[in-house]
Amino acid sequence: MENSNKTALIIGAGPAGLGAAYELLKRSTPDKPWDITILEASDKIGGNSRTVEFEGNYVDIGPHHFFTNSEYIKSIWNEFLPEQGAPACDDKLFEREVELNPGGPDPDTDKQVMLKRKRVSRILYEGKFFDYPLSFKKDTILKLGLKKTLYFGFSVLKSRIFRRKEVTMEDYLINKFGRGLYNEFFKAYTYKAWGDEPCNISSECGTQRIQGISLRKALKQLFKSILGIKPAENDEVKGSINEVKVLRYPKHGAGQMWELLAEQLRSKGVKFAFGNAVTHIKIENKSVTGLTVETGEGMKELTADYVISTIPLSKLFGSFTHDGEKPSPARDAALALKYRNFVMIGIFASRLSLQNDTGIKTIDGSLPDCWSYIYNNVAMMSRFGIYNNFSPYVVSDWQREVFLGMEYFCNENDDIWKGKPEESIEFAVKEAVKLGLLERENIVRTIKVQEGFAYPVYSGSYANFGDIRDYIDTLDNLYSIGRKGQHRYLDMDQSFLTAVECVKHIHGEISDKRTIWEVTEEVQ
């Protein structure tokens, strides 16, 4: 397809929207330029992956670490955030060994740095910490007790022999983890995360959400532990987002990547229209012929050769207007799609009550965890993160304060979402105290951050998702990409890759529009 003086309107300034602008610019030449405008309803860059500055600290909506199997995505990240060439301040303090990039930036003096951090993820269960993903090492057996360990182990073996047809999330989880672990861990956590019973959620959610966790290897660990055999080094699982041992994270939070990308786009002529919410998209003859946008100065009409949307599909279909054409049957299914909102309560404390039992050196024996999961129903919180362990540079007083981020999945009518910040924070503080994480007197400052439509739910009208996707594909100049735009649990790299495939189709480099919906973690 020839493109000369083409115009594009991109709805949303998250990773997918920014990625689409980046890819279009790469193909823009003096004789075939792209005129690109990004419409963003808020005043923020980064969408789900943004970072908020708060009293000298950097607060992620997450946080989100940078992992990918795509060499192309790695090259883009390295373009903006080269890997560190010197130890971070806490690594130097504790004399930790870190793999460095010769000639790379020094995180103590340079701003644009990608840190390499040891990932510690655990499960907090009955007041004790277990590996995440769950492993059956000697320590696990001692904490669970041999009886419960064997029960879980043989439950997994039984699930391998008597496999269920995988229709629902419940089927998927029982096949993968066994009924024992399902009942004890995953059933309650799934309900907290998705707001529905696992038997009502599509099994596709499991393949998207629980990637790479290997119970086969966990069982090998169990029986080797019982027999006293030390695991070989190559028993480690590599290349999976859930089991990667070293994570990459920008010095000043995940949003730093997207802010830097936006700066480059601006410098190359991409226009950003903040506070611009799309209210109507006019469809005629299988094509978008105009957009109505609500701005701070009233309504305005826009046109473009191509429209690339990253907003939730329910909002996208809700904005469609048709002249001389009946709405597609897919519309009702799209409008009924379900989502989960996300709330993160940030607590800065002088110290935590739960102490480090790992042997990893930390300030005042603080927890070394990046994330810890709360699988059972003892708390509404799904997991908490220690931001200091992602980057000490996101906490202004990192040697005296611990930044605890408590994560909640919720619906719009839940108190944690709609409540005033002080009310939501008080609820989270009570849960933190109940779990033994901290004492009230040690709290220094708090913050509530939230994001709507953060997680697509694979239940209800999702059963008719094929109709929704097929209808989008009939519109010759409209594309829907990213996590919200494809109603799939995509990570940052995958969202960016949907933008890559979208632009390839626009430029005729691929012919089948369905390819845009088929991006997975395995894309290289």
Side-chain angles (χ1 to χ4, degrees):
M1 179 183 294
E2 292 296 319
N3 288 295
S4 179
N5 298 313
K6 294 294 186 180
T7 57
L9 290 172
I10 299 173
I11 309 172
L18 297 172
Y22 178 87
E23 292 298 316
L24 287 172
L25 278 184
K26 280 182 60 178
R27 293 161 174 80
S28 187
T29 61
D31 61 320
K32 297 180 180 180
W34 274 97
D35 183 351
I36 305 166
T37 300
I38 297 178
L39 306 170
E40 172 54 51
S42 73
D43 60 350
K44 301 290 191 302
I45 293 287
N48 284 5
S49 304
R50 72 184 184 275
T51 297
V52 177
E53 292 192 39
F54 170 64
E55 297 182 5
N57 305 283
Y58 296 88
V59 180
D60 268 13
I61 313 297
H64 304 271
H65 72 96
F66 285 66
F67 171 83
T68 185
N69 286 323
S70 167
E71 293 301 323
Y72 179 64
I73 296 297
K74 289 177 186 176
S75 71
I76 295 173
W77 290 346
N78 289 334
E79 175 186 346
F80 293 94
L81 291 162
E83 291 186 355
Q84 66 187 89
C89 52
D90 57 349
D91 290 329
K92 285 191 287 189
L93 178 65
F94 295 116
E95 299 180 339
R96 298 171 180 153
E97 290 188 7
V98 183
E99 183 181 344
L100 302 176
N101 175 29
D106 184 342
D108 273 349
T109 57
D110 297 311
K111 181 179 179 181
Q112 292 178 221
V113 186
M114 184 74 82
L115 301 177
K116 298 182 74 171
R117 310 290 291 176
K118 178 179 176 61
R119 173 176 173 169
V120 178
S121 293
R122 296 190 290 176
I123 299 165
L124 182 59
Y125 172 69
E126 295 184 346
K128 300 172 184 177
F129 283 105
F130 297 84
D131 289 343
Y132 175 87
L134 189 67
S135 64
F136 290 103
K137 299 185 298 189
K138 182 179 179 180
D139 178 67
T140 306
I141 297 171
L142 291 174
K143 289 177 178 176
L144 284 177
L146 183 59
K147 182 178 179 180
K148 184 171 281 190
T149 303
L150 289 172
Y151 166 63
F152 289 154
F154 284 109
S155 176
V156 176
L157 287 176
K158 183 178 178 181
S159 74
R160 293 293 186 268
I161 299 170
F162 303 101
R163 295 189 64 79
R164 301 160 65 111
K165 181 180 178 181
E166 291 186 3
V167 177
T168 69
M169 183 74 160
E170 180 177 78
D171 300 324
Y172 174 86
L173 289 170
I174 291 175
N175 280 347
K176 192 169 184 66
F177 301 106
R179 182 170 288 279
L181 283 170
Y182 169 75
N183 288 335
E184 198 77 15
F185 289 89
F186 294 101
K187 185 176 182 179
Y189 187 84
T190 301
Y191 188 87
K192 283 196 287 187
W194 304 109
D196 203 347
E197 295 293 341
C199 60
N200 297 326
I201 302 172
S202 167
S203 61
E204 188 176 339
C205 181
T207 59
Q208 283 284 330
R209 181 72 171 129
I210 308 171
Q211 301 174 41
I213 298 179
S214 172
L215 260 290
R216 179 179 61 82
K217 291 185 179 291
L219 283 171
K220 284 175 65 178
Q221 289 177 335
L222 167 61
F223 291 110
K224 285 182 178 181
S225 295
I226 294 172
L227 297 172
I229 301 172
K230 185 178 180 181
E233 290 184 5
N234 61 8
D235 277 353
E236 290 269 349
V237 176
K238 295 179 174 67
S240 158
I241 192 168
N242 278 311
E243 298 185 311
V244 63
K245 301 303 181 185
V246 176
L247 60 83
R248 286 160 176 79
Y249 188 77
K251 175 180 176 178
H252 286 153
Q256 185 183 10
M257 169 67 203
W258 311 114
E259 292 284 354
L260 290 169
L261 176 53
E263 286 179 19
Q264 185 189 92
L265 296 177
R266 286 191 194 95
S267 71
K268 294 186 176 182
V270 174
K271 296 179 285 293
F272 284 78
F274 293 103
N276 280 236
V278 175
T279 60
H280 296 87
I281 298 177
K282 189 175 182 180
I283 309 291
E284 292 181 292
N285 299 319
K286 302 297 183 182
S287 184
V288 174
T289 58
L291 279 70
T292 302
V293 181
E294 183 178 3
T295 75
E297 300 174 351
M299 309 299 285
K300 64 181 178 183
E301 304 295 322
L302 300 174
T303 60
D305 295 308
Y306 294 92
V307 175
I308 301 173
S309 173
T310 69
I311 61 176
L313 283 169
S314 58
K315 285 191 172 185
L316 180 65
F317 273 77
S319 71
F320 287 164
T321 61
H322 302 73
D323 282 357
E325 179 184 342
K326 293 182 180 180
S328 163
R331 182 176 184 272
D332 289 342
L335 295 179
L337 287 172
K338 298 178 182 179
Y339 304 82
R340 291 287 271 172
N341 295 345
F342 178 81
V343 172
M344 198 281 288
I345 304 297
I347 300 176
F348 293 79
S350 58
R351 67 183 300 273
L352 297 181
S353 299
L354 284 177
Q355 291 296 291
N356 183 0
D357 61 354
T358 64
I360 300 172
K361 293 181 180 179
T362 57
I363 298 291
D364 293 332
S366 181
L367 296 175
D369 303 69
C370 297
W371 289 289
S372 284
Y373 294 79
I374 313 297
Y375 273 175
N376 49 26
N377 286 319
V378 297
M380 179 182 171
M381 173 179 48
S382 294
R383 70 179 185 183
F384 63 85
I386 309 295
Y387 276 64
N388 306 58
N389 298 325
F390 286 92
S391 168
Y393 304 100
V394 301
V395 185
S396 60
D397 197 359
W398 66 274
Q399 294 198 59
R400 294 182 179 84
E401 292 182 11
V402 179
F403 177 7
L404 174 70
M406 303 173 64
E407 301 181 16
Y408 294 88
F409 305 102
C410 55
N411 297 324
E412 286 189 350
N413 59 350
D414 291 341
D415 290 340
I416 193 77
W417 173 263
K418 67 183 182 180
K420 296 177 181 178
E422 57 271 21
E423 296 170 343
S424 301
I425 289 168
E426 173 60 20
F427 178 83
V429 168
K430 286 181 178 178
E431 289 210 326
V433 171
K434 178 182 177 182
L435 289 169
L437 286 173
L438 52 75
E439 299 295 335
R440 285 181 177 272
E441 57 266 26
N442 294 322
I443 296 175
V444 178
R445 58 177 67 84
T446 57
I447 181 176
K448 175 184 179 181
V449 293
Q450 57 193 81
E451 175 74 9
F453 298 91
Y455 293 88
V457 176
Y458 294 71
S459 65
S461 66
Y462 182 78
N464 300 316
F465 189 77
D467 295 335
I468 298 169
R469 182 189 59 226
D470 291 346
Y471 179 79
I472 291 289
D473 286 350
T474 66
L475 305 176
D476 57 26
N477 64 342
L478 176 70
Y479 297 82
S480 192
I481 61 173
R483 177 188 289 191
K484 296 177 182 179
Q486 295 202 345
H487 203 82
R488 290 198 294 150
Y489 187 83
L490 301 175
D491 294 304
M492 291 183 293
D493 61 326
Q494 297 167 317
S495 291
F496 199 106
L497 285 168
T498 64
V500 174
E501 297 303 305
C502 165
V503 174
K504 284 182 179 179
H505 188 270
I506 289 172
H507 277 263
E509 297 168 31
I510 57 173
S511 59
D512 192 346
K513 210 173 181 183
R514 288 176 297 181
T515 305
I516 304 167
W517 302 88
E518 295 170 357
V519 168
T520 69
E521 190 183 62
E522 303 307 317
V523 173
Q524 297 297 312

